[in-house]
Amino acid sequence: MYLKISGNQNNSSLNTTNFSLGLKDNEKILEIEVLNKNQILIVISNSLDTSAIVYDTKDNQIISIIKR
């Protein structure tokens, strides 16, 4: 997954940015899947429900939340 979304592998500058999905204490990430060059799908679950978030890595924002 890292190779698909990281871009130019020859870029030697270390540019680290932290992002948060704002998960609650009872929520956990079940799965992460690369959708395309700029978007990833993150499947989240709590004790009752499962939902998914489409996250844009280029714009660093949540595009949509898909609830079951």
Side-chain angles (χ1 to χ4, degrees):
M1 180 177 79
Y2 173 77
L3 293 175
K4 290 183 179 182
I5 65 173
S6 63
N8 185 355
Q9 300 302 311
N10 296 325
N11 186 356
S12 63
S13 65
L14 182 60
N15 186 7
T16 305
T17 306
N18 292 323
F19 299 100
S20 174
L21 295 175
L23 298 180
K24 298 175 184 169
D25 288 340
N26 66 339
E27 293 177 320
K28 62 182 177 178
I29 295 174
L30 297 179
E31 183 179 347
I32 298 175
E33 182 177 329
V34 176
L35 297 177
N36 58 46
K37 182 179 177 182
N38 297 321
Q39 297 176 351
I40 56 176
L41 177 74
I42 305 166
V43 179
I44 297 169
S45 179
N46 63 23
S47 59
L48 301 174
D49 298 313
T50 300
S51 60
I53 294 174
V54 178
Y55 187 82
D56 188 309
T57 59
K58 182 178 178 183
D59 295 331
N60 299 323
Q61 66 180 357
I62 294 173
I63 296 173
S64 62
I65 300 173
I66 305 163
K67 300 218 179 206
R68 188 177 132 173

